Amino acid sequence: MKDRNQELTPMLAQYHYFKNEYSDCLLFFRLGDFYELFYEDAVVGSKELNLVLTSRPAGKGRERIPMCGVPYHSADNYIKRLVQRGFKIAICEQVEDASQAKSIVKREVVRVITPGTYFEKDTAGFACIYRKGKFYYLAYLNLSIGDFVGARVKTEELLDFLSKFNIKELLIKEGEEPPSAVIKTLSVFITKLDDEFFEEGVELLRKAFDIHSARALGFDEEEFLIPLGAAYRYAKLTQKGFTPFIKKPKPFQDEGFVRIDLKVRRGLELLESIEGRKDHSLFGVLDMTLTGMGRRRLKFHILNPFRNVDRISKVQEAVEELVQNREKRCRLREILSGMADLERLVSRISANMATPRDILHLKNTLYKVEDLREEIGSLGSGLFKDMVVNLESLKSIADEIDRVLVDEPPIHVKEGGLIKAGVDGFLDELRFVRDNTRKLLKEYEKKLRKETGISSLKVGYNKVMGYYIEVTKPNLKYVPEHFRRRQTLTNAERFITEELSRLEEKILSAQSRINDIEYELFVQLREKINGELEKVGRNAQIVGEIDYIQALAEVADKKGWVKPEVNDEFCIEIEEGKHPVIEAFTRSYVPNDTFINEESFIHLITGPNMAGKSSYIRQVALIVLLAHMGSFVPAKRAKIGSVDAIYTRIGSGDILALGVSTFMNEMLDVASMLLNATDRSLIILDEIGRGTSTYDGIAITKALTEFISRRIGARTLLATHFLELTELEGKVRGVKNYHMAVSEEGSGVVFLYTLLPGKAEGSFGIEVARMAGLPEELINRAKEILLSFEDKSLPLLEETFKRSEKSITEAELDAIIEDVLSIDVANTTPLQALLKLAELKEKIIRVREGR
Ligand SMILES: Nc1ncnc2c1ncn2[C@@H]1O[C@H](COP(=O)(O)OP(=O)(O)OP(=O)(O)O)[C@@H](O)[C@H]1O
């Protein structure tokens, strides 16, 4: 059979070869100064990038094929747009000089760009997951900063865990499906890889990091190597040998941090507000960092606050020192503000993607590291002292860059103008030739005139002949033998000499040779730097930490926040606390106090709509979180007993895409909270139970409050409209009522935003509706209906609760628990178990009915 490709033009035949190999990618095929897309790729590309779709002949007797293209020097922006939309791109480059090519120019795919591995413009990363039993083993790899971690999480915790990272792509085994919540919530691009890929990945990883077992990396099971290996192999495969610096994989340390899950992150608007605004989030308020390294660290600690009290006080001490020493802080800010992102530079340099300007930034930043060391060295806090020891001097690299690279290098590496004079003798010579052509020729002319005695001898140039020596006819008799005749004119003859040929060659090739030599010297410099990248990476971490601390100090000083006392007690005492974000955007935020202790640790906060309940409970959670970050807090005084986790159930944190109703969502959250919370946790509940009937809602919230009090003992703030709950004060251990005060003035209600002990009087819902501008007629009718409810329905409600009061007392419940605990499960037959179950059920029914 005739090969169809033979009928294609040779170039398109080559295209087909690569497109077959990279069928899941859009193939960017380099043709001169353009990357061209053909066939379907061209149709997709033109649509996504708004490019003109043209066509070209495909070969003899064939129809024209669609095509579109982008200029290579501006391809980055197009690539970025496509990658952000989830496309994979294979870059197929010309790998030989087109002018040297004997037939069709040689091409190769030099990189595959996927959403998770594209790191030029974004800090993106990808994860690889491997499921075994109840667990997921996972690897996270960020190519822009080289971070590489492994972890093991329970199936149901996968989403929370992944959401800690900025993941654009998820690798998974062929045949397995990732949890739909992960895809919907994180909107990641899924890449499936076969078993073999995973197996070979492990081998590659072992070799790359020279390890025999996962233990060598600090992991306790070999399974960790499976996703780590696949992630590593994927990085290698997509970067085609130009893999950026990847740090040794290490276990993700979760234990040292307060647990903050995805719901808390959304509910408390930690990184962005519900409307997606960064400036209206905790991060927005705290972000006084000046470097990418500091910004990343800030985000990390917002999601991973410190758990350990000693660690917190170390950070606090450093922050406090910078709050007090404003001059020093200003100096640090001055140094930091001009620093490049060392972590990203490390990646670009190790992937051989660094431009001369990147190297220049590295030099300047390394000199600034020296300045930082000096400044930090004069500070007294323990943390700063540790930093000085760990911050390595890389001045020798900076000096080497300074010796070799010019002070204002061009963007591109191959255009020359990179290397300083004096670095390389031959380069200097070539430059002299290039810059002094006229002078050299004049000198040569002078020399020949002297040698031959022909004073009219001229050295000239034309495009056809190149350089020549011209002698007028009368002087031809003086021409020496080594002059070779080139051309005869009417009045003169033109010659060439060996020496002039050499000079010509030197002059004509000078620029391209200069460029080659400069490139070579630049590559050598890059290689020298490569050898020190680990040190640069370590320094980057410390710079990030300094930036983090100065940012907290800057915020604290600018906003007049105070240092909280953080200890291992149970209490939370906040005097005149404020919501850190609302405070920043409200002119007169009313501060409130919080006093939680062993006697009063479940606070029920009632009050009308709009009275400030939600803001208050979030404020407490945020102050506790800030305190664990080592930050100062918006309050007059604060004493925070440390927490192991913050849990929130706040409606706005719902992940609606999951296809579960609001109420079901709420119950799922509560269930997982009850499973994980301990007596060291902080629980924030906002209007639990409002997504179902009032009776069910009240019943569930009451039962939940009892459960938290009896079984968990966690510090809890619960905002509710169910005034019926306030009956629990005095009956259930730890429960205390508070309300947000309002005053009724004339016909309206005025919100005071002050938290007072005791329960609220009424809910004023209709009043709020009136303030929102609902028609007067509707408001009056609502008042009538409300009055009729108050006549009839309340007794009904009270009745319900009288009945529910009759339910189980603490003593009765303890008796039942004792009964269950006394069962010797190992020695119970199935029949005995069933009988026991029936007996227990009967007992519970009797207790509930008061029999
Ligand atoms: N302490 C405060 N000082 C000043 N303004 C406040 C304070 N607390 C809340 N507010 C303002 O009041 C508005 C309503 O607050 P919030 O949503 O907390 O009320 P709520 O009682 O939870 O209302 P609802 O029951 O309707 O959810 C907020 O948008 C905020 O701007």
Side-chain angles (χ1 to χ4, degrees):
M1 204 176 74
K2 210 170 165 190
D3 182 357
R4 289 190 56 190
N5 282 355
Q6 278 181 2
E7 298 165 15
L8 289 165
T9 62
M11 189 274 289
L12 274 179
Q14 194 189 36
Y15 172 84
H16 276 270
Y17 170 78
F18 288 115
K19 182 65 197 176
N20 273 343
E21 293 239 311
Y22 295 91
S23 55
D24 58 339
C25 301
L26 295 177
L27 191 70
F28 269 50
F29 194 75
R30 180 75 179 266
L31 263 187
D33 283 344
F34 276 78
Y35 286 116
E36 300 289 359
L37 289 99
F38 299 117
Y39 299 98
E40 257 308 293
D41 286 5
V43 177
V44 174
S46 70
K47 196 167 140 234
E48 297 288 336
L49 301 173
N50 241 343
L51 300 171
V52 182
L53 187 65
T54 57
S55 67
R56 69 177 289 144
K60 241 194 207 156
R62 284 182 162 257
E63 281 181 14
R64 293 175 75 83
I65 57 156
M67 129 176 169
C68 70
V70 298
Y72 97 98
H73 57 82
S74 59
D76 265 4
N77 284 330
Y78 292 105
I79 291 173
K80 186 179 178 189
R81 266 152 68 189
L82 288 172
V83 170
Q84 276 172 347
R85 289 173 205 179
F87 291 98
K88 278 187 179 182
I89 293 163
I91 306 286
C92 186
E93 280 294 352
Q94 295 176 184
V95 290
E96 65 178 343
D97 191 340
S99 61
Q100 312 283 312
K102 294 208 176 62
S103 56
I104 181 101
V105 57
K106 235 175 156 181
R107 289 186 174 81
E108 257 172 41
V109 169
V110 295
R111 254 186 97 193
V112 176
I113 305 170
T114 73
T117 59
Y118 181 64
F119 64 95
E120 269 96 304
K121 297 235 157 45
D122 266 321
T123 309
F126 65 94
C128 177
I129 54 174
Y130 163 74
R131 187 176 180 159
K132 190 172 173 208
K134 279 195 227 151
F135 293 102
Y136 272 108
Y137 293 83
L138 63 91
Y140 166 74
L141 178 49
N142 183 326
L143 288 178
S144 74
I145 51 172
D147 275 359
F148 194 16
V149 292
R152 176 184 51 218
V153 293
K154 288 189 202 136
T155 315
E156 62 275 15
E157 288 171 355
L158 181 68
L159 174 62
D160 274 334
F161 191 84
L162 288 178
S163 64
K164 282 183 191 290
F165 304 98
N166 182 11
I167 289 174
K168 297 278 191 310
E169 188 173 358
L170 188 66
L171 314 184
I172 191 161
K173 256 195 185 174
E174 198 93 61
E176 281 193 18
E177 281 311 314
S180 67
V182 170
I183 305 177
K184 286 179 178 157
T185 314
L186 303 181
S187 57
V188 285
F189 183 82
I190 303 293
T191 297
K192 296 204 170 180
L193 302 166
D194 59 23
D195 286 352
E196 203 186 311
F197 192 95
F198 275 77
E199 279 159 27
E200 285 176 15
V202 174
E203 278 320 300
L204 194 67
L205 185 83
R206 282 188 210 273
K207 272 202 203 111
F209 294 100
D210 195 18
I211 47 146
H212 294 292
S213 115
R215 290 237 177 96
L217 297 171
F219 297 101
D220 57 2
E221 281 180 286
E222 290 305 301
E223 277 77 4
F224 281 99
L225 295 187
I226 298 172
L228 286 169
Y232 187 76
R233 186 164 179 219
Y234 193 66
K236 284 269 173 201
L237 193 85
T238 52
Q239 309 303 306
K240 297 269 163 209
F242 291 113
T243 323
F245 174 68
I246 297 175
K247 294 175 196 156
K248 214 178 207 188
K250 58 177 186 188
F252 183 77
Q253 301 286 352
D254 223 358
E255 297 77 36
F257 303 117
V258 174
R259 182 185 156 130
I260 303 283
D261 66 18
L262 183 60
K263 282 152 286 201
V264 178
R265 169 173 154 182
R266 292 189 170 188
L268 294 181
E269 301 175 297
L270 296 183
L271 298 188
E272 57 179 34
S273 71
I274 296 300
E275 305 85 42
R277 290 186 58 164
K278 286 206 171 56
D279 56 340
H280 284 190
S281 68
L282 183 66
F283 172 70
V285 168
L286 296 182
D287 188 19
M288 300 262 186
T289 59
L290 296 157
T291 68
M293 301 157 277
R295 208 161 302 126
R296 279 193 292 279
R297 187 161 273 260
L298 175 62
K299 276 192 186 169
F300 179 80
H301 284 310
I302 289 177
L303 300 183
N304 299 280
F306 303 108
R307 170 79 187 84
N308 179 286
V309 169
D310 294 337
R311 179 89 183 99
I312 295 169
S313 57
K314 247 183 142 178
V315 178
Q316 280 185 336
E317 186 197 2
V319 173
E320 186 173 37
E321 185 170 9
L322 291 188
V323 169
Q324 287 164 354
N325 192 340
R326 196 173 287 180
E327 202 180 305
K328 186 63 91 177
R329 192 172 80 236
C330 283
R331 176 75 190 118
L332 287 179
R333 283 179 66 80
E334 205 180 297
I335 299 171
L336 287 165
S337 63
M339 286 182 114
D341 192 334
L342 285 176
E343 284 174 328
R344 301 204 55 199
L345 281 183
V346 164
S347 293
R348 294 177 61 81
I349 295 168
S350 58
N352 287 347
M353 282 163 57
T355 64
R357 296 216 177 141
D358 285 335
I359 304 290
L360 179 79
H361 287 146
L362 178 70
K363 175 185 92 175
N364 295 337
T365 303
L366 291 182
Y367 281 138
K368 277 172 175 284
V369 168
E370 295 299 304
D371 298 343
L372 266 188
R373 262 162 63 92
E374 206 180 304
E375 293 298 330
I376 300 293
S378 64
L379 290 167
S381 306
L383 206 59
F384 290 130
K385 286 197 167 12
D386 295 347
M387 285 177 189
V388 177
V389 175
N390 295 325
L391 205 57
E392 285 176 75
S393 170
L394 293 172
K395 188 171 172 297
S396 57
I397 304 189
D399 286 345
E400 176 62 7
I401 301 174
D402 190 49
R403 186 183 73 81
V404 175
L405 193 69
V406 295
D407 293 338
E408 284 180 19
I411 303 175
H412 299 292
V413 265
K414 293 197 171 161
E415 289 170 7
L418 305 168
I419 307 294
K420 276 188 178 163
V423 173
D424 184 285
F426 188 48
L427 176 66
D428 291 348
E429 212 176 285
L430 285 170
R431 279 180 174 156
F432 183 79
V433 170
R434 180 197 59 193
D435 302 336
N436 296 284
T437 309
R438 281 177 76 92
K439 197 171 149 208
L440 283 172
L441 290 171
K442 274 277 161 232
E443 270 171 15
Y444 185 56
E445 189 181 80
K446 217 164 130 193
K447 187 177 125 190
L448 286 180
R449 281 182 183 175
K450 204 171 159 200
E451 272 174 24
T452 60
I454 310 169
S455 59
S456 60
L457 179 148
K458 269 194 288 188
V459 174
Y461 173 81
N462 75 25
K463 271 193 193 151
V464 187
M465 280 188 61
Y467 290 97
Y468 57 80
I469 304 159
E470 194 175 292
V471 180
T472 52
K473 288 229 161 113
N475 289 312
L476 284 176
K477 52 182 175 295
Y478 304 114
V479 167
E481 273 194 2
H482 67 276
F483 274 37
R484 280 182 282 118
R485 193 186 312 271
R486 269 288 179 90
Q487 197 185 10
T488 306
L489 306 175
T490 333
N491 299 320
E493 300 246 322
R494 286 180 174 169
F495 301 86
I496 184 90
T497 62
E498 264 310 300
E499 199 177 344
L500 184 58
S501 296
R502 276 204 307 275
L503 193 59
E504 176 175 27
E505 216 262 317
K506 228 176 181 179
I507 291 169
L508 294 181
S509 66
Q511 189 57 55
S512 78
R513 287 168 77 189
I514 286 171
N515 291 357
D516 290 350
I517 294 171
E518 288 209 40
Y519 178 66
E520 212 159 281
L521 289 168
F522 179 73
V523 170
Q524 279 172 20
L525 174 67
R526 213 161 52 183
E527 271 161 16
K528 261 189 211 155
I529 301 169
N530 248 314
E532 305 283 350
L533 284 184
E534 269 198 65
K535 285 186 198 158
V536 180
R538 279 200 297 273
N539 275 1
Q541 296 267 327
I542 300 170
V543 173
E545 208 172 327
I546 296 172
D547 196 11
Y548 171 73
I549 287 167
Q550 74 73 22
L552 293 184
E554 182 79 5
V555 175
D557 191 27
K558 288 262 152 69
K559 294 181 179 283
W561 290 3
V562 299
K563 182 172 99 170
E565 179 189 342
V566 184
N567 57 29
D568 279 327
E569 292 171 18
F570 186 76
C571 68
I572 294 179
E573 293 174 10
I574 303 168
E575 252 176 67
E576 297 189 15
K578 293 179 180 178
H579 189 298
V581 183
I582 307 181
E583 172 212 32
F585 295 95
T586 313
R587 239 187 285 144
S588 50
Y589 191 86
V590 180
N592 275 304
D593 299 343
T594 306
F595 288 100
I596 293 177
N597 54 33
E598 303 272 358
E599 280 73 51
S600 140
F601 62 91
I602 301 181
H603 291 187
L604 298 181
I605 296 122
T606 47
N609 296 94
M610 286 294 290
K613 302 183 294 299
S614 305
S615 309
Y616 168 73
I617 58 175
R618 284 169 212 227
Q619 153 186 324
V620 176
L622 287 170
I623 289 175
V624 170
L625 189 143
L626 280 168
H628 282 78
M629 289 170 65
S631 167
F632 282 25
V633 299
K636 192 171 158 209
R637 180 187 76 86
K639 183 166 150 190
I640 310 289
S642 69
V643 301
D644 62 359
I646 298 177
Y647 296 98
T648 57
R649 172 55 223 177
I650 292 171
S652 48
D654 283 349
I655 302 154
L656 296 172
L658 299 187
V660 183
S661 75
T662 307
F663 184 64
M664 188 61 185
N665 243 320
E666 181 170 291
M667 291 302 109
L668 285 170
D669 282 359
V670 171
S672 100
M673 178 189 299
L674 296 182
L675 207 65
N676 293 302
T678 72
D679 59 356
R680 294 247 36 116
S681 307
L682 175 67
I683 298 180
I684 301 294
L685 300 168
D686 197 1
E687 294 188 30
I688 279 283
R690 67 188 165 152
T692 184
S693 79
T694 311
Y695 292 164
D696 284 353
I698 295 172
I700 286 172
T701 317
K702 263 191 155 182
L704 177 64
T705 311
E706 289 175 3
F707 191 89
I708 293 174
S709 162
R710 286 188 187 133
R711 300 273 165 254
I712 301 180
R715 286 158 284 181
T716 304
L717 296 178
L718 192 156
T720 182
H721 284 285
F722 299 142
L723 290 175
E724 293 78 5
L725 285 185
T726 55
E727 297 168 6
L728 295 178
E729 189 182 61
K731 290 185 190 153
V732 175
R733 189 175 76 88
V735 172
K736 190 164 167 61
N737 292 332
Y738 285 92
H739 71 281
M740 295 306 290
V742 290
S743 79
E744 286 178 84
E745 275 177 20
S747 60
V749 45
V750 175
F751 300 115
L752 302 175
Y753 304 115
T754 306
L755 186 80
L756 296 176
K759 64 174 187 167
E761 303 297 331
S763 61
F764 300 96
I766 296 179
E767 201 42 50
V768 175
R770 192 186 63 74
M771 286 161 71
L774 265 64
E776 203 57 34
E777 183 189 338
L778 188 156
I779 297 293
N780 290 337
R781 175 69 189 130
K783 282 182 182 162
E784 273 172 39
I785 297 173
L786 183 67
L787 276 178
S788 70
F789 278 166
E790 281 171 0
D791 289 345
K792 296 180 205 135
S793 307
L794 269 185
L796 196 69
L797 262 184
E798 272 163 19
E799 194 45 42
T800 315
F801 285 102
K802 266 195 216 116
R803 267 197 274 124
S804 81
E805 278 314 298
K806 250 194 271 156
S807 56
I808 301 177
T809 67
E810 210 158 332
E812 285 163 342
L813 189 67
D814 285 345
I816 292 168
I817 289 169
E818 276 310 311
D819 216 351
V820 175
L821 289 177
S822 68
I823 300 171
D824 180 2
V825 180
N827 295 311
T828 307
T829 66
L831 183 63
Q832 284 170 328
L834 275 178
L835 290 172
K836 190 71 195 170
L837 197 59
E839 185 196 313
L840 277 170
K841 185 177 171 191
E842 177 58 28
K843 208 179 240 175
I844 293 168
I845 292 171
R846 256 189 284 124
V847 171
R848 290 184 77 182
E849 290 176 355
R851 286 194 267 137

